[in-house]
Amino acid sequence: MQYNTIKENEKWGMANKDGEILIEPKFDFIDDFNEYGLAQIELDEKYGLINNKGEIVLEPKFDFIDSFDEYGIAQIELDEKCGLVDKTGKILIKPKFDEIDQFNENGFTVVRLDYEVGIINTKGKLVIDFGEFCLS
């Protein structure tokens, strides 16, 4: 289905191609829907996600939400800490890491907390604990 952003009184929403309002204009910004049927929203300088039914699936309380990768995972940030959210809006990891790298082709990535590193999988599970190895 084709969606168009609409703006009314400095607030953004969505309408279908026939002009029928699907999401009332109430956000400071609303992005286009991605392949998972989610759009990034901004409200009071915080970011969240909304689905194409107009339901908020991730409350706008984050400082940043990255684009979704090929695993359907996006990085979220809050108070300079990183976490992960999946393509349904479920938080896999609450923002607690200092850094999260991109997932490799095997579905693993390095996370950093203070000066230690660990490895997580696409489910957000720590598969190699912090301090067990050193990356150079």
Side-chain angles (χ1 to χ4, degrees):
M1 178 177 271
Q2 179 70 30
Y3 300 96
N4 299 306
T5 55
I6 56 173
K7 187 175 183 181
E8 182 179 293
N9 298 323
E10 301 302 315
K11 295 293 181 180
W12 291 90
M14 283 275 177
N16 65 18
K17 65 179 180 174
D18 298 324
E20 178 186 355
I21 294 177
L22 302 171
I23 300 169
E24 291 292 329
K26 59 184 173 184
F27 300 106
D28 299 330
F29 173 78
I30 187 167
D31 205 353
D32 293 329
F33 288 105
N34 62 24
E35 64 268 31
Y36 305 112
L38 299 176
Q40 192 173 134
I41 54 173
E42 179 185 356
L43 187 61
D44 299 325
E45 299 182 6
K46 295 292 182 179
Y47 298 91
L49 297 170
I50 194 167
N51 66 21
N52 54 16
K53 297 175 187 167
E55 302 164 332
I56 293 177
V57 295
L58 186 65
E59 289 294 328
K61 63 180 183 180
F62 298 94
D63 300 326
F64 175 77
I65 301 176
D66 205 353
S67 299
F68 284 86
D69 65 15
E70 66 269 18
Y71 296 105
I73 297 172
Q75 191 171 142
I76 53 177
E77 291 182 17
L78 180 63
D79 298 328
E80 299 183 12
K81 295 293 183 182
C82 302
L84 297 173
V85 62
D86 74 8
K87 63 186 175 188
T88 67
K90 177 186 172 197
I91 294 178
L92 296 174
I93 298 175
K94 292 180 182 178
K96 64 181 179 181
F97 295 115
D98 296 322
E99 187 177 345
I100 301 175
D101 288 341
Q102 299 239 344
F103 285 96
N104 67 18
E105 65 275 359
N106 297 316
F108 297 101
T109 190
V110 174
V111 293
R112 185 175 61 80
L113 183 60
D114 297 322
Y115 296 101
E116 296 187 327
V117 294
I119 300 213
I120 61 170
N121 63 19
T122 57
K123 303 286 187 211
K125 182 179 181 211
L126 196 63
V127 293
I128 297 180
D129 205 358
F130 291 93
E132 291 187 8
F133 67 100
C134 178
L135 296 177
S136 57

